[in-house]
Amino acid sequence: QVTLVESGGGSVQAGGSLRLSCEFSGDPYYCMGWFRQSPGKLREGVARVDRDNGTSYEDSVKGRFTASINNAKNTLYLQMNNLKPEDTAMYYCAATWIYSNCHTRGPDGFPHWGRGTQVTVSS
């Protein structure tokens, strides 16, 4: 059974930091991602990590967010620094065993999802 469980969300002031974690079960995935969704908005990609530890980021988080995988711990991370109010959203991790086009995959390209963890940034 495939499971993805996020943790680490919370409420912080602008400029603060949080580290999200996503513990996953099963064989190592070829492509994993962090997505976020705010009320009334579409789910958007934040960061993606492939099996070779290659990463890509949405423009608004470049230089502030860092995604990484610790395969020994079966955990995907998202370090978020210099948080802004517009980063407020529910954050989800997602995974697929399909490697191709990892860094351009939209939400529909990931069959496995966690339930999300809320991040709230106040000004």
Side-chain angles (χ1 to χ4, degrees):
Q1 182 178 359
V2 174
T3 60
L4 300 166
V5 181
E6 303 94 336
S7 62
S11 296
V12 297
Q13 291 190 327
S17 298
L18 285 172
R19 187 176 80 158
L20 305 184
S21 298
C22 172
E23 292 187 48
F24 56 87
S25 66
D27 294 330
Y29 294 99
Y30 285 1
C31 176
M32 299 192 73
W34 285 102
F35 291 79
R36 65 186 180 187
Q37 189 169 19
S38 304
K41 294 187 177 180
L42 295 175
R43 190 168 295 188
E44 66 173 355
V46 176
R48 296 166 181 81
V49 185
D50 64 36
R51 63 179 178 181
D52 299 319
N53 285 314
T55 56
S56 59
Y57 300 92
E58 192 266 332
D59 285 346
S60 69
V61 308
K62 285 180 180 177
R64 300 188 298 121
F65 291 10
T66 303
S68 61
I69 294 178
N70 184 328
N71 283 313
K73 294 185 176 181
N74 276 18
T75 303
L76 171 72
Y77 299 101
L78 184 67
Q79 177 66 44
M80 306 186 296
N81 298 327
N82 190 21
L83 282 160
K84 303 177 180 182
E86 51 264 42
D87 295 319
T88 295
M90 184 72 79
Y91 283 71
Y92 301 88
C93 68
T96 178
W97 281 299
I98 300 173
Y99 178 75
S100 62
N101 302 315
C102 176
H103 297 285
T104 57
R105 283 181 173 270
D108 290 345
F110 290 84
H112 307 295
W113 290 84
R115 292 188 175 184
T117 185
Q118 177 67 38
V119 171
T120 303
V121 185
S122 58
S123 57

